[in-house]
Amino acid sequence: MIKLTDLLKELDLRSGELEGSFVNDTSLYGGFFNSFDFENAELIYDLDPEQQETVFNSEADQSEVKGKVLSEVDNYQLLDPGIGMTLYMVNTLAKTWKEYIVGSVDVEVMENKPYKLKGGQIVLTYISKPYRGQGIGTLMYYMVLVHYRTLFSDEILYEGSRKVWLSKIYGIANFFGAQALDFYIPLTLEDAQDDNLVGSPAILSYVASINPSPEMIKLDNALGGLSLSKGEFGVYEYPEDTEAFLDAIVGLDDLLDVIELNELVSMFNANDQPNALVVRTSDAVCVVKKVGKKLRSTVI
């Protein structure tokens, strides 16, 4: 087997620089070699197209790739080269470098999220041409979710990415919702598909978690699958603390009366027969429901 570093030395090399983003397969392969510190990798772009193809179609020596395996599904691995935010998916059954290097995903590690929830936010993905149309992008999202345990969407979701979130990520997450202010609202699939709802300025991003925080689980359980897009519950803000809010609703026996409180500010309106209200006070989240003839509150 001819090592890639030896092959590069045999070709007519001149000095050059790697491109900053992956706009085609050539930049993907070159970025991979550079990220994993292959000798002379920075000169890939100075080869003519025929020489580049010679490199990319050469036999892949996987022992040359020194990276951490973050996630693995069958013969596919998600590798971290240890520098930057770009991770690479590879096919361990491949014979050539072109077959081995499947694609890349840029993931920003998120740590300053509500409830101290940590996870990864996918910023950009790229799948090489030989692997397109095979569901590899979906697999890549899944592998990122499995490793980081929680996945946040970018604030701008392209149509293709949104389809992955709704068709695949929704079904495997233990919590699926949206960030609004400093907490997470659980969403039904119909909610997540609603363009008007998701396009609201109050919605910051999708969130899917395999390991949601206790607060997320408690809120999800309290709402019990109610739909936000249908108005089965509404979301509101109250400027004072939870104690003041609970005092304000003492004596009220209808959710519509709670909505009429002067201090309550609507984020998402409930319909005229709501099942619950979610109220963000200055220090907590409260779920108010009518049980029998009385209102009952759950503090999250």
Side-chain angles (χ1 to χ4, degrees), residues 144-159:
V144 172
L145 174 59
V146 167
H147 174 69
Y148 289 96
R149 312 302 291 171
T150 298
L151 193 60
F152 303 97
S153 73
D154 200 355
E155 291 183 11
I156 300 176
L157 262 184
Y158 294 103
E159 188 61 28

Side-chain angles (χ1 to χ4, degrees), residues 125-187:
T125 61
Y126 184 87
I127 305 297
S128 66
K129 289 183 179 179
Y131 285 97
R132 293 178 187 172
Q134 302 177 37
I136 295 297
T138 299
L139 178 60
M140 184 179 286
Y141 269 75
Y142 171 77
M143 295 173 81
V144 172
L145 174 59
V146 167
H147 174 69
Y148 289 96
R149 312 302 291 171
T150 298
L151 193 60
F152 303 97
S153 73
D154 200 355
E155 291 183 11
I156 300 176
L157 262 184
Y158 294 103
E159 188 61 28
S161 299
R162 189 180 178 197
K163 286 181 179 179
V164 172
W165 275 86
L166 299 180
S167 65
K168 302 298 180 182
I169 301 300
Y170 185 92
I172 61 177
N174 293 325
F175 179 95
F176 190 100
Q179 182 181 346
L181 296 176
D182 58 351
F183 70 105
Y184 304 103
I185 304 171
L187 300 178

Side-chain angles (χ1 to χ4, degrees), residues 50 63 67 124 128 233 241 270:
E50 185 175 343
S63 66
L124 186 67
S128 66
F233 72 95
D241 62 19

Side-chain angles (χ1 to χ4, degrees), residues 14-28:
R14 301 181 302 276
S15 62
E17 296 181 355
L18 287 172
E19 296 181 7
S21 60
F22 301 152
V23 295
N24 54 40
D25 287 3
T26 299
S27 62
L28 168 68

